[in-house]
Amino acid sequence: MEVDAVVQECCVARQCGPGQPRFAVCASCAMIRHVVIVRAQVVACDSSVQNRKSLHGANEQMGNLCRLAICVLFMGMVSGCDRSSDWPVRPVTLVCPWSAGGGTDRVSRQIAVQLEAELGVPVNVINATGGGGVTGHTRGAIAAADGYTLQMATVELNMLHWRGLCPITPRSYRPLAKLNEDSAAIFVRADAPWQTIQELETALREATSSVPVSGSAAGSIWHLALAGWLMERELSPDATNWISINGSAPALQELLAGGIEVVCCSIPEAAALLHGGEVRCLGVMSQERCPAAPEVPTFVEQGVEWSVGGWRGLMYPPGVPEDRVERMSAAIRRVAESAEFTQFMDDAGFNISLVYGQEFAEFLAEADAGFGAILTQPAMQQQQQAPLSAWFVPVLLIGIGVVMLGVSGVSRRSVAEVSTEGSGAESLRIPLLFCGSIVVFILACQTVGYVLSSMALLGVQFWLLRVGVLKLVLFVVLAVPALYQVFSAVLGVPLPWGMLGW
Amino acid sequence: MSDALLQAFAEVLGRPDIWAIVLASACYGIFVGAVPGLTATMAVALFVPIAYWMDPVGALAAIVTMVACAIFSGDLPTVYLRIPGTPASAAYADDAYRLTRQGKAQRLLCLALTSSIAGGIIGAVLLMVLGSQLARVARLFSVTEYFWLYLLGLSCAVLVASGGSRVKAVLSLVLGLLLSTVGLSAVHIEPRFTFGIPALYQGISFIPAMIGLFGLAEVFSNLCVMSAAAESVTGDSEVAATGERWSLLEDARQRLTRHKGGVGRSSLLGVLIGMLPGAGADIAAWVALAASRRARADQDDDEQMMQSVADATTANSAALAGGWIPTLVFGIPGDSVTAIVIGVLLMKNVTPGPVIFAEQPALVYSIYLIFILANVVMFPIGLLAIRLGARIVRIPRQILLPLIVLFCITGSYALNSSMFDVTTMLVMGVLGFLLSRSEMPAGPVVLGLVLGGPLEERLIQSLSASEGSLAGLISRPLSLALALLTAAVFCGIVLAEVRDRRSGRQTT
């Protein structure tokens, strides 16, 4: 049978009627698949088929050799046909670089729900947090370019590389669509003496010691927005003292507690406190007023030519096939322009700003240059100095540890007696073999796939513990697919796919 | 006022769909909480897309119920298998499992269930009655106060250690704190102990670490014993027929009524700690455990252990209600769950904060009622879960242990979809095994991992606010008070240790 015919039939079979099985899977261009053709008879070919060429060869002998449907077992785990016209067939992963519950996470989850309906496959959000966005932004850029990993990128993409934290820049991605842009704004406590941005500026000029301010970590977009404003008005960088607090919510809490005087963050982040009258917004750093808080004047209105904001957008790793990029872009465009998404963004107070493809890439290049100009300023570098060196705490801890070891050494003798007591008959052989099997699992899982490698792991461990063959097979065959279904289908956790597609 | 209350009653109790939502999310919460690696926060985050289709009361009912149930059911794997299901159970994992080995698993879980319910309900009542007053207190906490609070939290790990094991607890704690410095430091943005491995930049995530330190380490210990003695049933040997179950519940009820003081103290501690943004159910459990140990120093060992675990479960459930205090009053999330809740509320066009009490009092009363309802519904479902759990433990060890290994692996992978977390879990499993062989407690390592980062961050934030002067740490009245309290606790620990050593020397 010709390869293309196989593919063709396979795709036909996928749209088959209710009477026929729905588990047809064909060889994809790049990946190795078990092949099942469903028509009058079921033809199953060996899963060791490596690529189209060997598929062709294997097909000739296959007719007689493996007509039996070994695939019954696979049924219900997989369905799909990996041909470009029929892409996507697997769950799509959406990488969110910030933690669950934050603004970016909420936008990601909304996009995921709507994309799922658009694409017809599950879209799972994973929160790859840590390192001030380094982890998350690296994850999407180095993902396989098969179009199944989508990255929610944020403004930090423009900033991390300038601060020398990671080599990832906007050029490490294929930008698809910018979804929103939130401008920075300046907040003070409701009982603070300043009513306008000029009054605050005068106060900063006249202050004898530097005023404590925050909004997020040092070097974040809000830090940069504030520093840029000071630079624009030619204030000394020492006028303010940026306290590095992780996130805008704890910074606002610190503002209420009186630890800092000014917070710089976006309006949606402070919406609850702003509407509750606990904080006052002196101005928003944008050209137009923010729809979520139309009573707040812009900086431009108050005579300060300074606007800056954070953006969120969707990106692909470079090298994704063009037809998949088009398919995904079209789906994203439909989602982003839907009434449902607009409603969601309005309700959450996020400012929609849609820019697609090439235009988005140009926006990113421009923003990158602008941020670079500020971030490389000596004033900005200076402000990132912390009062304690990064190694102060680890060294202190090692010191305490050594002292404690010394103290415990005094009473060590009694301990040694206790611990040697029952350990004579114990053996470390099986625990070590278990460790070894887990190491092999970790190394193999990404290429072999979750189901197969878990089956192997479980089988080996049962065997080590001398479980009977029948029980072994029974538990392996029942437990692994069940666990896979629970995590993958019910909880939406994307488990490694591997060679066989599952 | 009373109109709003009536409306809330009708909204919550009068709607069959709310009952259905509460029941379904209770089952979901129990399930997610019992799976190590999936936290209460994760349960809520997975639920957000569904919340979009619900009305505010329905969405809130689901969230409150699933979190309450997840925090309780985190105790199930803790007690049965020594794998904390959620971080809130890590504090008492060792104690609980020791009781399980004595065949008291079901008794302990029934007690934990009733204590959780008691804590949840008392917490909800405190939220209703004192909510806005307590929020004023929470508002006073700046970074400096948090620094002292975290130090106090750390001292709990040493306070719960009995007699001669204090030094070991400190060593475990230092180990945990050191592990927490791995990765990109949040304040300096400088990599430490990463050895150029990019995956280490995000640090050692504590959930895989916790699964490894407790779960996998326990598997290894069991394997050692198994190869020596062919079969050893350490699980639940207690007979629990239906008749017995009622006697267990009766026992739990008696314990609770006998220790009213303990329940009240733990609930109050839970609410107070829970309402502080940056301290949640996990720290509440530690503090309540330590307070309970101090209060009951005179009782015999097992009884004391049972009660202190019960107090800790009371506190971690009460902390959930505490987390809602700053959320409702200021719109500042009290913990990671309420951070998501604020997002959901904003999505529904409800702005949490001072205005919510004036504009939507019915919704606020509904939240109070949902808290009570969730804790009531938890009772039958929790009992069912305890029973199911007991079945799992009866599976022969040689089948169960590989299954636990697979569960540990999948659970740690699930959190971030990263194989690196599985590696972390494995390394921590080996570390936990070595710790248990040298009789060092694993709990303080987890506490150190959780608090290490924020502690250093708060220290550096306080110092940079005061421009490097140490006086900045005690310049505010509240921070001075907390500093004195911390100093007193530290002195107390040192004095107790010196006294114990002296008396030990005299007896030998």
Side-chain angles (χ1 to χ4, degrees), chain A residues 100-101 106 109-110 113 126-132 134-135 139 163 165 189 210 217-218 241 243-246 249 252-254 256-259 271-273 275-276 278 340 343-344 347-348 386-394 397-398 400-401 404-405 407-408 410-411 415 418-419 423 425-428 430-431 434-435 438-439 441-442 445-446 450 454 457-458 461-462 465-467 471 475 479-480 483 486-487 491 493-496, chain B residues 28 31-32 35 38 41-42 45-46 48-49 52-53 136 138-143 146 167-168 170-171 174 177-178 181 184 186-193 201-202 216 219-220 223-228 277 330-333 339-340 343 346-347 349 351-355 397-399 401-403 405-407 409-411 413-419 422-423 426 430 433 437-439 456-457 459-461 463-465 467-468 476 501:
Chain A
R106 260 145 64 204
R109 283 177 199 276
Q110 178 66 26
V113 171
I126 60 168
N127 301 95
T129 57
V134 172
T135 313
R139 187 87 163 254
R163 287 155 61 204
L165 289 175
R189 265 190 309 278
S210 57
N241 176 15
I243 316 287
S244 179
I245 295 178
N246 243 352
L252 286 163
Q253 150 79 19
E254 187 67 11
L256 290 188
L273 288 174
H275 294 305
E278 294 282 336
E340 195 186 332
Q343 183 68 39
F344 164 81
D347 288 349
L388 290 177
S389 111
W391 294 96
F392 174 80
V393 170
L397 285 172
I398 292 172
I400 297 175
M404 280 297 152
L405 272 178
V407 172
S408 72
V410 179
S411 54
V415 178
V418 176
S419 61
S423 63
E426 287 179 6
S427 154
L428 285 174
I430 298 217
F434 260 57
C435 269
I438 300 174
V439 170
F441 173 90
I442 291 170
C445 189
Q446 296 287 11
Y450 175 81
S454 306
L457 177 78
L458 212 53
Q461 295 189 342
F462 280 148
L465 295 178
R466 303 201 192 94
V467 177
K471 270 188 184 170
F475 269 96
V480 175
L483 202 60
V486 166
F487 274 88
L491 297 171
V493 175
L495 294 168
Chain B
Y28 170 72
F31 173 72
V32 173
V35 177
L38 298 181
T41 314
M42 185 92 167
L46 289 171
V48 168
Y52 191 74
W53 311 104
R136 304 275 138 204
R139 210 187 126 141
L140 294 173
F141 275 66
S142 79
V143 281
Y146 278 109
V167 175
K168 284 182 176 168
V170 176
L171 275 174
V174 170
L177 288 170
L178 265 177
T181 61
L184 206 58
V187 211
H188 309 93
I189 329 222
E190 198 181 314
R192 295 186 295 199
F193 304 113
Y201 270 47
Q202 60 180 311
L216 201 61
V219 171
F220 287 154
L223 286 172
C224 273
V225 180
M226 267 181 81
S227 42
F330 295 125
I332 289 181
I340 304 182
L346 287 173
M347 218 154 77
N349 250 337
T351 313
V355 280
R397 292 257 126 180
Q398 74 231 70
I399 304 262
L401 292 179
L403 286 177
V405 170
L406 189 60
F407 231 73
I409 289 174
T410 318
Y413 182 84
L415 186 75
N416 268 331
S417 305
S418 119
M419 263 306 148
V422 182
T423 316
L426 177 62
V430 174
F433 176 65
R437 285 188 76 115
S438 53
E439 296 183 332
E456 186 189 3
E457 236 174 84
L459 172 65
I460 288 172
Q461 284 160 1
L463 286 180
S464 58
E467 290 175 353
R476 293 158 55 100
R501 290 203 168 202

Side-chain angles (χ1 to χ4, degrees), chain B residues 174-234:
Chain B
V174 170
L175 184 65
L177 288 170
L178 265 177
L179 286 173
S180 79
T181 61
V182 173
L184 206 58
S185 125
V187 211
H188 309 93
I189 329 222
E190 198 181 314
R192 295 186 295 199
F193 304 113
T194 52
F195 310 107
I197 306 168
L200 269 178
Y201 270 47
Q202 60 180 311
I204 294 175
S205 33
F206 73 91
I207 290 177
M210 188 178 79
I211 298 174
L213 279 171
F214 288 104
L216 201 61
E218 185 61 27
V219 171
F220 287 154
S221 313
N222 265 301
L223 286 172
C224 273
V225 180
M226 267 181 81
S227 42
E231 187 81 356
S232 73
V233 181
T234 48

Side-chain angles (χ1 to χ4, degrees), chain B residues 88-177:
Chain B
S89 309
Y92 45 87
D94 281 336
D95 287 0
Y97 196 65
R98 200 170 303 155
L99 290 167
T100 303
R101 282 170 166 260
Q102 299 170 4
K104 289 180 182 160
Q106 302 239 342
R107 187 178 297 268
L108 181 63
L109 277 172
C110 285
L111 183 61
L113 178 64
T114 38
S115 310
S116 293
I117 293 173
I121 290 181
I122 297 175
V125 171
L126 284 172
L127 167 70
M128 284 176 219
V129 182
L130 294 173
S132 35
Q133 281 88 336
L134 285 177
R136 304 275 138 204
V137 179
R139 210 187 126 141
L140 294 173
F141 275 66
S142 79
V143 281
T144 323
E145 280 83 27
Y146 278 109
F147 168 72
W148 292 111
L149 194 74
Y150 289 150
L151 263 189
L152 269 177
L154 285 183
S155 71
C156 288
V158 188
L159 282 173
V160 299
S162 51
S165 54
R166 279 193 202 92
V167 175
K168 284 182 176 168
V170 176
L171 275 174
S172 290
L173 194 62
V174 170
L175 184 65
L177 288 170

